[in-house]
Amino acid sequence: MLPSRLLLRSHPIRTQLAARRAAADAIRAQPAYRIALWPDGWVLEPDGAVRVVDTHAMAEARRWFEMAERTTGTAVRRPLTAAEQRRAMRLLGVYVPPAVVALSGRRFRSEEVASVALTLVAGDWITERRRQLLTQPERALAEQARAWQGSRHQCPASADAAEALLRQALDACIAEGLVPAARYRLVSRCEDGFGLRRWRCAVEVNLDPYARARAREALTTALIPWNRAVIRDGMPMPLITLDVRACHGPRAATA
């Protein structure tokens, strides 16, 4: 019979092993399209359809492909082969096959159809990627859990569209009494320095700091169904960020 000290020591080890096995089983059970688009490159729509959206790695890969195409075009040299692309991009710590990047924005009618389509264009890469995720399954699942997909996410196409979305959220918050009925000025600008289109939005209003903080919390919550977070360097990065600040100039828009 094992001494009680050894029994106590073996219990957390068994628990850790069981957790690792459960995480590995969860990775093995993931459909192929999710492995290809890991950790956050899909939006499940109400009718069960799958819409492919850029991950941070896909956006970086697209920028790299475009840069390589411009470079080889101006240098009048042959395009890089697929093997050369893989070697070069892995030096940068990112590689997504061009065929997968090209599917961004595509809508598949079901998860099964999405998995078949991605397996056809990148089956070997998906198998390799699943094997990589299985080396640290708990870490992979934790990273995916930090991503959040807005159920109604549609990336605004212009500053006007971003402001219209923010106006909709603001009007709803005022109607619900979550923010005071006051004069607000809305500002938004697009940033796509990392390949992913992000929107920095601001609401300017003459309220005290406590009321502005309450308004920011309410508006951020109201934007959740339309917002989306992507994982960059292991941390979630919302595509729509919001600030509520004091208004010191003319208040051009009112609510």
Side-chain angles (χ1 to χ4, degrees), residues 93-161:
V94 59
Y95 175 70
V96 181
V100 173
V101 174
L103 291 177
S104 183
R106 286 284 299 275
R107 185 179 185 273
F108 299 99
R109 68 173 183 269
S110 69
E111 294 186 272
E112 292 78 10
V113 174
S115 286
V116 170
L118 280 152
T119 299
L120 286 173
V121 301
D124 292 342
W125 177 75
I126 292 172
T127 299
E128 178 188 348
R129 188 166 172 79
R130 194 187 298 270
R131 188 161 46 244
Q132 290 172 348
L133 293 176
L134 283 169
T135 61
Q136 293 183 301
E138 292 169 291
R139 179 178 177 181
L141 289 178
E143 180 184 50
Q144 202 280 325
R146 286 192 288 269
W148 187 87
Q149 301 288 352
S151 60
R152 306 177 198 174
H153 165 74
Q154 293 285 349
C155 186
S158 65
D160 288 343

Side-chain angles (χ1 to χ4, degrees), residues 55-87:
T55 63
H56 173 68
M58 287 168 67
E60 286 291 297
R62 180 180 294 103
R63 292 177 64 209
W64 193 93
F65 291 138
E66 291 172 353
M67 180 185 68
E69 185 176 344
R70 288 195 302 269
T71 301
T72 55
T74 56
V76 195
R77 54 162 293 183
R78 65 170 177 82
L80 296 177
T81 65
E84 288 171 335
Q85 287 179 346
R86 285 194 296 272
R87 283 197 298 270

